[in-house]
Amino acid sequence: MNLAVCADVGSTYTKAAVVDLDGGRLVAAAAAPTTVGTDVLHGLDAAVGAATAGLTAGDLPWYVCSSAGGGLRLAVVGYEPLVTAQAGRRVGLSAGANVVHVAAGRLGQADLTALRAARPDVVLLVGGTDGGDADTLTHNATRLARARWRVPVVLAGNADARDDLHALLAAAAVPVTAADNVLPRIGVLAPAPARAAIREVFLRHVIGGKKLSRGGRFARLVRAATPDAVLTGVEVLADALGGDLAVVDVGGATTDVYSVLTPDERDTGPSQEVAGTLWRARTVEGDLGMRWSAPGVVRAAAEERLLAPGEADDLAAAAAVRAADPGFLPAADADRAADRRIAALAATVALRRHARGAATGERAGRDLRDVKLMVGSGGVLRHAHPGDAAGVLAAVLGDHAGGWPLPRAARAVVDVDYVLAAGGLLAADHPGAAAALLRRHLAG
């Protein structure tokens, strides 16, 4: 068989899968704890070794993504908050980044101090439509150059000023990569070039800079940030399905939501978003998670009026236990029931925020009525009894009180075999295998 290894080095566990590239079939899979405390290669090699045990296929190509060490921290600096800065934020999320800071307007000294305090791995510098205002973009690039800025910059603003500002930053020894404008004209959001540039900078500067491994092998193996690979997998699956799709990924620290919508008449007219519509989008809810962020789930659920009378105190106590011990494993029935409830609440709140547009900054929100497939992901769903996982997704799809357009006829499925990341990793080199893998395991 023509095989490849796909691996995701997560914050807690490293997952490895062996895929048959000829048929898009999952041959084997295994997981091992991520070894951030020593060298992440130890956990990666252990997971891959377990997945390939007994296979006699010789040396296999490796496709690796990573969110270890906090993943990719991105700051956005734009022209003004409602248009280019918002467009940059949406693009950053689609590139798999955790957007830790957004600044708009001309940077002053206080703004630079706040930017440094956010500790970004990459700065996305945007501003102005092509042929429009270039003064603010020029001012901000000049401030970064004079401030001896050493964090990598992706320059994706007004194309008329791009070459001059790239030369300015490079002359000041700022690590800079230029890309096409994220907002070439009002209402048109073009994420692909900046997303590719952010991925390139992540691989070239960020992975090695996080000191996750002592040698250079890990940096050579990694091809994408995990959320970037997953979004690519979601895009491949949506294209294979030929319709709208949503994914909710409940993790220990965050809950990510991905959606792919079909552009239609919503893309034009008076309700058109001036910052553009990202039809393939990702949002991150940093206060919603199964372990580190479990208390945030209870608080958010209370604010959304999702808790039954008398439920808050018991659930808050359970959440506190999980936050204090991120390695907590539920053994008793009551603990497993609490995990299911926290997962259902995290997924419900995260999808409400995503659909309302609060997390994407979209004025009209995201219309999920035509979603054909709702995919659940995350360890709490993958390792749950199938009926329990189905119950979590049923709670999400039955949430009629959230004030957002509910999917009208969505089928729910759990990414039990963790193939979304693998499909995304294979998409560029082996698109047929990626599509076949995702269809087989998720499309039914």
Side-chain angles (χ1 to χ4, degrees), residues 44-334:
L44 176 59
D45 287 337
V48 173
T52 56
L55 297 177
T56 56
D59 292 334
L60 304 181
W62 288 28
Y63 294 80
V64 179
C65 58
S66 174
S67 58
L72 170 60
R73 296 172 60 86
L74 182 80
V76 178
V77 177
Y79 170 48
E80 51 77 52
L82 293 180
V83 183
T84 54
Q86 188 57 255
R89 180 175 181 271
R90 295 178 191 174
V91 170
L93 287 168
S94 77
N98 175 19
V99 179
V100 296
H101 184 76
V102 178
R106 292 175 172 245
L107 292 175
Q109 187 55 50
D111 301 309
L112 281 173
T113 299
L115 183 60
R116 290 188 191 277
R119 299 180 294 106
D121 297 316
V122 180
V123 172
L124 177 60
L125 182 59
V126 297
T129 55
D130 289 345
D133 175 82
D135 290 345
T136 301
L137 181 64
T138 300
H139 171 89
N140 291 340
T142 303
R143 286 303 300 256
L144 292 177
R146 291 176 178 172
R148 301 176 184 270
W149 190 259
R150 294 297 177 261
V151 172
V153 171
V154 171
L155 176 64
N158 189 333
D160 291 0
R162 181 172 54 231
D163 292 345
D164 289 343
L165 296 183
H166 183 275
L168 170 73
L169 290 164
V174 178
V176 58
T177 301
D180 290 347
N181 197 347
V182 300
L183 195 75
R185 61 184 187 274
I186 291 295
V188 176
L189 188 58
R195 181 178 168 187
I198 292 169
R199 181 186 303 122
E200 176 190 342
V201 171
F202 173 73
L203 300 179
R204 185 167 10 118
H205 295 283
V206 178
I207 284 292
K210 286 186 176 292
K211 309 298 183 186
L212 298 171
S213 181
R214 283 187 288 273
R217 177 173 164 242
F218 182 65
R220 291 192 297 271
L221 286 172
V222 175
R223 297 173 181 244
T226 298
D228 187 16
V230 172
L231 180 57
T232 301
V234 173
E235 292 170 335
V236 171
L237 178 59
D239 289 342
L241 285 174
D244 293 4
L245 168 69
V247 176
V248 57
D249 184 359
V250 185
T254 70
T255 296
D256 294 5
V257 180
Y258 304 80
S259 64
V260 175
L261 307 181
T262 305
D264 57 17
E265 67 276 3
R266 293 170 292 186
D267 199 20
T268 60
S271 63
Q272 179 185 19
E273 291 278 345
V274 293
T277 298
L278 201 59
W279 296 104
R280 301 177 172 213
R282 163 183 171 260
T283 52
V284 181
E285 303 303 336
D287 62 332
L288 306 178
M290 293 301 302
R291 295 295 180 259
W292 292 271
S293 306
V297 175
V298 181
R299 289 192 294 270
E303 292 171 359
E304 294 278 349
R305 300 182 180 180
L306 287 167
L307 299 181
E311 182 183 19
D313 289 344
D314 288 344
L315 202 59
V321 169
R322 286 151 177 78
D325 178 16
F328 176 83
L329 294 174
D333 288 344

Side-chain angles (χ1 to χ4, degrees), residues 18-40:
V18 180
V19 178
D20 173 13
L21 298 177
D22 292 328
R25 184 172 61 88
L26 185 66
V27 176
T34 298
T35 48
V36 174
T38 55
D39 187 314
V40 291

Side-chain angles (χ1 to χ4, degrees), residues 167 368 429:
L368 304 182
D429 293 348

